[in-house]
Amino acid sequence: MNVPTLETARLILNAHTAEDVLRNFAIWSNPQVVKHISGTPSTLQQCWWRVLRYAGHWSLNNYGYWAVREKASGEYIGDVGFQDNLRAIGPVFDVYPEAGWVFDPRFHGLGYATEAMTAVLGWSESVMKSRLTACLIAPQNQASLKLSKKLGYRVIGEAPVQDVPTLILLRG
């Protein structure tokens, strides 16, 4: 499946390209970005694999992650979308596409995550088979919890992810 382009007032969401790897690395190697995700900055190789995984999700699942680009500058500033990581958490989570978002810290607090995810969720409601989506958020990640609530996610439980207690949220 081709990655659909989504456009908002300030953003363009489209397919990742090989040229995005260095910006992806700049984002995912930032300790502030990974603080509540894995705690470990990504290597360049891991970012290349991530971009390949993004493309693979679209190819195999007909959904995936978009590159988020600021309309005014054209700069790649983050990733939003859905994935299926085969996490084996259980039926309250595993059967739903897993939503996620990450942005370069220079663009935090501008409402871009809300804007991008609102577009992505609108797309998912009109295109995807299930209207239900899930996400995982570290309890300490107050910014993502605030965003998830704004987007309509609600906490339904907790599960260990990489041996760390993590909240399970559901929307739909």
Side-chain angles (χ1 to χ4, degrees):
M1 173 182 198
N2 289 331
V3 180
T5 296
L6 305 179
E7 193 169 326
T8 71
R10 302 178 295 165
L11 304 170
I12 295 174
L13 286 65
N14 59 13
H16 290 82
T17 67
E19 290 76 29
D20 292 329
V21 173
L22 291 178
R23 282 289 302 130
N24 186 275
F25 176 61
I27 294 168
W28 283 93
S29 64
N30 185 319
Q32 185 181 346
V33 170
V34 299
K35 179 179 179 181
H36 299 300
I37 300 172
S38 68
T40 305
S42 294
T43 65
L44 181 59
Q45 182 183 53
Q46 289 168 325
C47 290
W48 174 239
W49 292 341
R50 178 176 290 110
V51 170
L52 292 173
R53 212 170 40 242
Y54 291 159
H57 268 87
W58 283 104
S59 190
L60 297 177
N61 294 330
N62 294 322
Y63 63 82
Y65 268 72
W66 284 265
V68 180
R69 301 177 201 283
E70 189 179 45
K71 222 185 246 187
S73 67
E75 186 175 356
Y76 166 42
I77 63 171
D79 305 315
V80 296
F82 303 102
Q83 60 190 332
D84 181 357
N85 282 330
L86 299 178
R87 292 188 190 269
I89 290 174
V92 298
F93 182 82
D94 295 338
V95 296
Y96 307 114
E98 179 183 343
W101 49 85
V102 65
F103 284 82
D104 182 314
R106 294 178 300 133
F107 298 92
H108 288 181
L110 301 175
Y112 283 169
T114 302
E115 190 172 326
M117 283 304 297
T118 298
V120 165
L121 291 167
W123 173 87
S124 75
E125 289 172 0
S126 66
V127 175
M128 291 171 59
K129 293 177 190 172
S130 172
R131 299 191 115 208
L132 298 172
T133 60
C135 65
L136 298 172
I137 301 176
Q140 303 83 2
N141 191 342
Q142 292 303 307
S144 279
L145 287 171
K146 181 179 174 184
L147 173 60
S148 69
K149 185 175 182 179
K150 196 183 298 186
L151 296 171
Y153 285 92
R154 65 188 187 290
V155 176
I156 61 162
E158 189 176 289
V161 175
Q162 300 173 345
D163 298 323
V164 176
T166 304
L167 299 174
I168 301 171
L169 297 91
L170 193 62
R171 178 186 188 274

